[in-house]
Amino acid sequence: MPDIHPFYGGVHPPQAKISSRDAIVSAPLLERYVVPLQMHIGAPSRLLVQKGNKVLRGQLLAEASAFVSAPIHAPTSGLIKEVTTCLGVLGNQLPAVILESDGEDKPAEPLAAVPNWQDSAPAELLRRVGEAGIVGMGGAAFPTVIKLSPPPQKKVDTLIINGVECEPCLTADHRLMLESPEKILAGMQICARILGVKRILLGIEKNKPDAVALLREKAQGTPVQVCPLEVRYPQGAEKQLIYALTSRKVPTGGLPMDIGCVVQNVASVYAIAEAVLDGTPLYQRVTTVTGTPLRSPGNWRFRVGTPYSEAIRLAGGVSEDPVKIISGGPMMGIAVYSLDIPITKNTSGILLLSAAEVSQYQSKSCIRCGRCNDTCPMQLMPGILSVQIENESFALAENWHVMDCMECGCCSYICPAGRPLVQHMRRAKADVTALHRAAEAAKAAQEAKNSPAPAPGKN
Amino acid sequence: MQAVIILLSAGVLIGLAIALVVKFFGVQSDPLLEEVTALTPGANCGACGYAGCAAYAAAMVSGAAKPGLCPSMPEESVKKISALLGVTSEARVRKVAVVCCRGNDDMATRQAFYNGVNNCRDAMQVAAGAKTCTYGCLGLGACARACPYGAIEITPKHLAVVHPDLCVGCGKCVQTCPKKLIKLVPASAPLHVLCSSPEKGVTKRKACKAACIGCQKCVKAAGEGQIRMNGFLAVINYGDLPPAEIASCCPTGALSASIAGTEQSAPESEVINA
């Protein structure tokens, strides 16, 4: 096992993992699924079916439309009722298809299974990962196939599997590790074969001793090293996890592959194993539905396109009105206002908070206590940045590395003045990106203007 | 007596020194540039495309820019500058900003409670704001803060309204509004469509009482040349302006004869078929 290097900063929020003993249950078939055509970072997928078409479970509904994109498969068999839009987590309208189930759940011809993956060419395995529409299931939903194909000049020597699940309340990855350790281990080794690396590290927080013990036992005789990690949020953030396990630091604006690492979430490697060993594309995932207002929180295997309302119904409904519904965990999740939003490939949790758990505090002035500086895992200075951002000095904030913020929320969690620090960072990141885009567009327009013969009298 | 003499002579010496320094090291300024700069409004709004009023004045004096790019400069100042520089200036159309939304708290419904940072651009990061209509004014005042002339007011019912007398048409608010609701229109235009939602009429009607529901009454009243439909939204042809009386045919008041700022003082003029 490698030496563990504690990362800088971090906080200790209450764990509240109340559903960690609830085994994964397959959600019953619904009559209607709303399948968004964009469940990943990148371009929306190109639709291949039309209204009125009959599709089978696992059939390709939409194909990748660009380099950064991913195909989407039907969650069940049935009729394409409508090609429309649906509400996304960010409040935006996403292109979507409405699939009316025929109740038979007939599978399409699966992709050819590759049970002897040890002998298959890495390129063949990689193609399969792409075809199965696998994206990063920890939350970012970046297409996995891109992460697994680093350019040849970047030598990757370490594959890190993220089983940390440091986000409070969520237990989906924990349950998946306990219930399908073989598939997860196979998936890791398939990833390692694709990348051609020998060193496979599985990071798990020490608050899951059962998962550590089980995976250690199952990993005997494989190159996988199980590494228990200190319980501290955000231990499962990509850069912090890499540092903890290898003491390497991802450079500013760089990628893990710049320092020879690739990180995959346990749910993603599980999906990879399913795609390669069984030929099943990614159309379902394990999601934690939790929160004190729910009667019976738990972990379910939902098909993509299941509306949040159905997830809450399965969890027994609510015993008191929630005041906040969050897609994801309490630290990094996004508050949503509609239960019509469908579960997508990256919905790791649905969290309901009661009135007692949500505070409606007022933001006050910074008291210069510096606690945000002590907790920021990226070693930024959130207090100073937030003042710059309030004054809309985005160029200055960029110089102070606001773009390195990963929005973990430690600063807002710790701030005694109740300042919306991470909210400011999010806004600044959006506005800095917008400024860069505008500058690029202006430059392109200027070049287009200059390329023909310059107008007389203008210099 | 001695002290007076010492201080007097010291004063004279230092005065001479300053006079010499000014004589030999003084920065030679262009009197023309000074005169032109004095005629600019000094608000540094950037609407001319230069970094500020001084930069625009310098560009005018060097011949790189024409007088008349500044929207807030009075006509006589433009004429004076043109005369000073010996160039001709073209006639300008005065433009004002108009917030194409009437969805205040009485009109528009909300689907969530927003408790975050009090700025539209921050609210956009959280599910694009709390209004049911995702195209409507958030009323958190990003435009009002951006306006160098104080021409935008956020009403107590959370709607941004432009005061046309104060607005000079610099366009800062147009860039700031995250919902892209603000347009620059000719100040003489008698009618505006105060709705920006491209949704279907039924959807809009549910979200906001003041939405343009796409009934096309105004198109029939004014004729295709003056108002046309773009999907479910009426669009005014600012090149061929329809008469102000047409506003009375609009069942929701989305077609308005005034930009919402003046409506605030006369709310009884709003005709809403709820």
Side-chain angles (χ1 to χ4, degrees):
Chain A
M1 206 185 86
D3 289 341
I4 304 294
H5 309 269
F7 67 93
Y8 180 90
V11 290
H12 293 274
Q15 294 288 308
K17 296 195 186 254
I18 51 176
S19 54
S20 61
R21 286 170 198 276
D22 298 307
I24 299 167
V25 182
S26 280
L29 208 58
L30 292 180
E31 283 174 4
R32 190 169 170 274
Y33 290 93
V34 183
V35 186
L37 297 179
Q38 187 170 20
M39 297 197 243
H40 47 262
I41 288 183
S45 311
R46 193 183 304 117
L47 191 63
L48 296 174
V49 293
Q50 286 173 348
K51 183 179 172 178
N53 282 14
K54 288 221 183 270
V55 295
L56 298 170
R57 164 159 59 90
Q59 189 181 326
L60 197 61
L61 289 181
E63 59 179 3
S65 61
F67 178 63
V68 184
S69 186
I72 285 161
H73 301 83
T76 185
S77 63
L79 182 74
I80 301 292
K81 191 78 180 163
E82 209 181 339
V83 178
T84 175
T85 56
C86 74
L87 192 64
V89 165
L90 297 171
N92 48 350
Q93 292 287 328
L94 300 172
V97 293
I98 292 178
L99 174 59
E100 212 166 65
S101 166
D102 57 10
E104 292 170 35
D105 202 22
K106 262 187 299 204
E109 187 120 339
L111 308 165
V114 193
N116 54 337
W117 56 266
Q118 289 94 334
D119 308 323
S120 305
E124 174 68 23
L125 296 171
L126 183 67
R127 197 169 59 82
R128 172 55 53 83
V129 171
E131 280 172 0
I134 294 169
V135 299
M137 289 164 79
F142 190 77
T144 302
V145 64
I146 302 172
K147 257 176 138 178
L148 288 181
S149 40
Q153 68 271 24
K154 298 204 171 150
K155 294 272 175 276
V156 173
D157 60 4
T158 307
L159 172 68
I160 295 174
I161 306 299
N162 188 343
V164 175
E165 202 163 51
C166 59
E167 190 62 70
C169 303
L170 302 189
T171 54
D173 289 354
H174 184 192
R175 288 312 306 179
L176 197 63
M177 285 191 284
L178 286 180
E179 293 177 34
S180 313
E182 289 90 358
K183 275 244 170 95
I184 288 174
L185 286 166
M188 288 179 203
Q189 291 170 72
I190 293 168
C191 281
R193 182 165 172 78
I194 292 172
L195 290 165
V197 303
K198 296 276 177 288
R199 191 162 173 240
I200 313 174
L201 307 174
L202 168 63
I204 304 177
E205 247 181 4
K206 280 179 185 161
N207 59 0
K208 297 180 254 302
D210 45 357
V212 173
L214 182 69
L215 279 151
R216 266 211 178 128
E217 183 198 320
K218 299 276 180 190
Q220 300 232 325
T222 69
V224 176
Q225 300 176 53
V226 179
C227 315
L229 295 166
E230 179 199 5
V231 182
R232 182 152 49 104
Y233 178 87
Q235 181 71 75
E238 194 173 57
K239 288 166 187 161
Q240 280 59 37
L241 182 61
I242 293 173
Y243 182 75
L245 291 174
T246 65
S247 88
R248 297 179 197 171
K249 280 188 178 172
V250 180
T252 293
L255 291 170
M257 59 175 73
D258 296 335
I259 50 163
C261 293
V262 166
V263 182
Q264 289 291 344
N265 179 267
V266 279
S268 305
V269 294
Y270 175 82
I272 290 169
E274 286 227 303
V276 171
L277 302 179
D278 309 334
T280 317
L282 178 59
Y283 57 77
Q284 56 186 7
R285 70 154 296 140
V286 180
T287 299
T288 305
V289 186
T290 186
T292 47
L294 285 168
R295 288 207 180 84
S296 54
N299 306 288
W300 279 269
R301 183 166 278 123
F302 290 110
R303 312 272 171 106
V304 296
T306 307
Y308 282 18
S309 51
E310 172 64 16
I312 289 170
R313 199 185 62 75
L314 277 178
V318 292
S319 54
E320 62 172 307
D321 267 351
V323 296
K324 210 176 220 184
I325 298 168
I326 294 174
S327 170
M331 294 297 285
M332 284 193 74
I334 298 165
V336 298
Y337 57 77
S338 167
L339 293 180
D340 297 334
I341 296 174
I343 287 173
T344 59
K345 290 175 182 175
N346 62 338
T347 312
S348 50
I350 299 170
L351 171 67
L352 277 67
L353 295 176
S354 67
E357 292 168 314
V358 177
S359 64
Q360 304 282 3
Y361 53 76
Q362 285 289 311
S363 161
K364 299 181 196 76
S365 301
C366 174
I367 57 169
R368 308 286 195 276
C369 67
R371 281 208 229 169
C372 50
N373 302 344
D374 292 343
T375 47
C376 179
M378 296 307 292
Q379 303 182 31
L380 306 179
M381 301 181 81
I384 290 178
L385 277 164
S386 109
V387 175
Q388 294 167 350
I389 295 160
E390 273 183 335
N391 294 329
E392 311 210 336
S393 307
F394 296 117
L396 187 61
E398 200 188 352
N399 283 342
W400 286 63
H401 296 284
V402 72
M403 296 307 279
D404 281 341
C405 169
M406 58 171 171
E407 301 167 27
C408 66
C410 289
C411 50
S412 293
Y413 180 83
I414 207 78
C415 180
R419 285 179 66 76
L421 298 168
V422 73
Q423 289 84 344
H424 279 148
M425 307 287 174
R426 278 171 64 94
R427 192 237 158 144
K429 283 171 76 177
D431 272 9
V432 168
T433 314
L435 283 176
H436 280 295
R437 285 221 182 104
E440 265 165 39
K443 206 177 155 195
Q446 192 64 39
E447 270 163 21
K449 208 169 142 190
N450 288 348
S451 51
K458 282 200 171 177
N459 40 16
Chain B
M1 192 61 204
Q2 221 173 5
V4 172
I5 292 165
I6 289 169
L7 281 177
L8 260 179
S9 49
V12 168
L13 277 173
I14 292 167
L16 273 173
I18 290 172
L20 284 171
V21 167
V22 169
K23 175 98 179 138
F24 291 106
F25 300 103
V27 179
Q28 289 300 314
S29 69
D30 184 349
L32 185 62
L33 179 62
E34 272 177 20
E35 226 170 315
V36 173
T37 311
L39 284 164
T40 57
N44 296 323
C45 69
C48 54
Y50 289 88
C53 292
Y56 176 45
M60 279 192 284
V61 170
S62 71
K66 280 186 176 170
L69 292 179
C70 174
S72 66
M73 199 186 283
E75 204 58 48
E76 59 263 37
S77 300
V78 178
K79 282 194 186 125
K80 266 186 207 162
I81 293 176
S82 305
L84 280 171
L85 299 175
V87 293
T88 52
S89 61
E90 289 140 35
R92 296 173 305 154
V93 179
R94 190 171 103 81
K95 290 201 165 185
V96 291
V98 49
V99 181
C100 295
C101 178
R102 275 183 76 227
N104 63 16
D105 287 352
D106 294 341
M107 301 289 173
T109 57
R110 279 171 186 265
Q111 59 194 349
F113 174 62
Y114 174 69
N115 183 43
V117 184
N118 196 25
N119 188 315
C120 308
R121 295 186 80 87
D122 285 277
M124 279 299 281
Q125 305 296 317
V126 190
K131 271 193 178 149
T132 314
C133 173
T134 52
Y135 302 90
C137 174
L138 294 169
L140 298 172
C143 53
R145 277 187 283 268
C147 180
Y149 300 93
I152 301 183
E153 180 195 344
I154 302 297
T155 65
K157 289 174 182 170
H158 302 103
L159 182 71
V161 293
V162 178
H163 289 281
D165 320 342
L166 295 174
C167 177
V168 303
C170 71
K172 279 231 149 165
C173 51
V174 178
Q175 294 161 21
T176 307
C177 177
K179 299 277 190 187
K180 308 247 173 293
L181 284 175
I182 309 182
K183 285 200 190 88
L184 286 181
V185 300
S188 56
L191 272 180
H192 307 283
V193 178
L194 298 184
C195 180
S196 302
S197 170
E199 297 276 353
K200 287 181 186 162
V202 184
T203 319
K204 284 199 267 187
R205 189 80 171 129
K206 277 182 197 154
C208 178
K209 288 187 223 164
C212 168
I213 51 173
C215 67
Q216 310 203 7
K217 277 188 182 170
C218 53
V219 179
K220 282 171 202 143
E224 283 276 349
Q226 295 181 325
I227 302 180
R228 66 182 171 84
M229 295 305 291
N230 178 14
F232 299 94
L233 197 60
V235 180
I236 287 180
N237 179 1
Y238 285 107
D240 179 10
L241 289 163
E245 304 87 75
I246 302 267
S248 58
C249 77
C250 181
T252 64
L255 186 69
S256 172
S258 61
I259 66 181
T262 48
E263 252 179 39
Q264 287 311 112
S265 50
E268 66 278 5
S269 70
E270 295 175 350
V271 182
I272 306 299
N273 303 348

